[in-house]
């Protein structure tokens, strides 16, 4: 198998915003067939998520309205790094903006591609420990509720599909598997 079996013949931008870039590529497949393929790229190509863990073993989650899904959902604080912003700095900023805490320590959990076929985004997940209150002003587009849940309840919320955000689900399961959640 060829290392790079698809060959890009051309590309055109369809849409660009401060958050995403949408383009359509014309590609040639290994057998010579040509297709058009849509590619969505986040502004930086990366996102961060923090699973904040209080000393008492409770997980801090945020609940906010997600327009695309048309509903309110519990999730871990997450967002995108600003251009040139380090992943850890972005994680601290998102944690402070959304949950009102700063982590004394950020432990890497895992990284994954959020959508392997159309979206170019790598999510970097961390566990936030030694939390101290240190809020930043909230993003004006976000209306957020913050609450702490026992870790066992957060796992049940994942199992019952009450938490559906992929970054949060992966963070919870990764922390559990690593023995970092009780």
């Amino acid at each position: 198998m060829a290392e790079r079996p698809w060959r890009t013949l051309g590309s055109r931008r369809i849409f660009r915003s401060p958050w995403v870039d949408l383009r359509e590529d014309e590609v040639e497949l290994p057998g010579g067939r040509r297709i058009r393929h849509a590619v969505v790229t986040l502004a930086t190509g990366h996102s961060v998520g923090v699973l904040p863990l209080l000393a008492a073993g409770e997980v801090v989650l945020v609940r906010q309205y997600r327009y695309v899904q048309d509903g309110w959902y519990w999730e871990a604080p997450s967002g995108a790094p600003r251009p040139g912003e380090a992943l850890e700095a972005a994680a601290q900023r998102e944690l402070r903006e959304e949950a009102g805490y700063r982590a004394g320590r950020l432990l890497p959990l895992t990284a994954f591609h959020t959508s392997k076929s159309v979206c170019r985004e790598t999510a970097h997940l961390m566990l936030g420990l030694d939390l101290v209150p240190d809020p930043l002003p909230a993003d004006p587009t976000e209306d957020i509720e913050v609450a702490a849940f026992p870790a066992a309840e957060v796992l049940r919320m994942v199992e019952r599909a009450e938490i559906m955000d992929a970054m949060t689900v992966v963070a919870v399961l990764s922390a559990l598997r690593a023995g970092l959640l009780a």
Side-chain angles (χ1 to χ4, degrees), residues 12-159:
R12 75 178 177 96
R13 175 174 283 139
I14 296 171
F15 174 79
R16 183 181 182 115
S17 77
W19 303 278
V20 297
D21 187 276
L22 172 61
R23 73 174 199 264
E24 181 182 65
D25 292 349
E26 182 180 353
V27 297
E28 184 178 78
L29 303 179
R33 184 170 155 228
R34 292 181 178 193
I35 64 168
R36 295 188 186 281
H37 191 76
V39 178
V40 177
T41 302
L42 291 189
T44 64
H46 297 274
S47 58
V48 294
V50 181
L51 190 65
L53 187 60
L54 293 169
E58 293 179 311
V59 176
V60 177
L61 296 176
V62 297
R63 183 174 179 260
Q64 58 185 313
Y65 179 75
R66 292 301 188 179
Y67 174 76
V68 173
Q69 299 300 331
D70 192 25
W72 291 84
Y73 298 95
W74 288 106
E75 58 194 47
S78 62
R82 295 176 177 147
E85 185 178 34
L87 296 174
E88 293 79 11
Q92 289 283 17
R93 179 181 46 75
E94 290 292 342
L95 179 59
R96 292 175 66 205
E97 285 175 359
E98 293 187 2
Y101 288 96
R102 179 178 39 81
R105 292 184 297 148
L106 289 172
L107 299 179
L109 288 172
T110 193
F112 70 100
H113 294 144
T114 59
S115 172
K116 63 192 175 298
S117 61
V118 296
C119 184
R120 187 178 184 114
E121 175 189 19
T122 301
H124 304 269
L125 304 179
M126 303 168 203
L127 185 69
L129 299 170
D130 304 328
L131 301 180
V132 294
D134 190 14
L136 281 175
D139 183 310
T141 65
E142 297 175 329
D143 183 15
I144 294 177
E145 176 184 351
V146 180
F149 297 87
E153 178 60 20
V154 172
L155 181 58
R156 283 191 291 276
M157 292 166 77
V158 167
E159 292 169 339

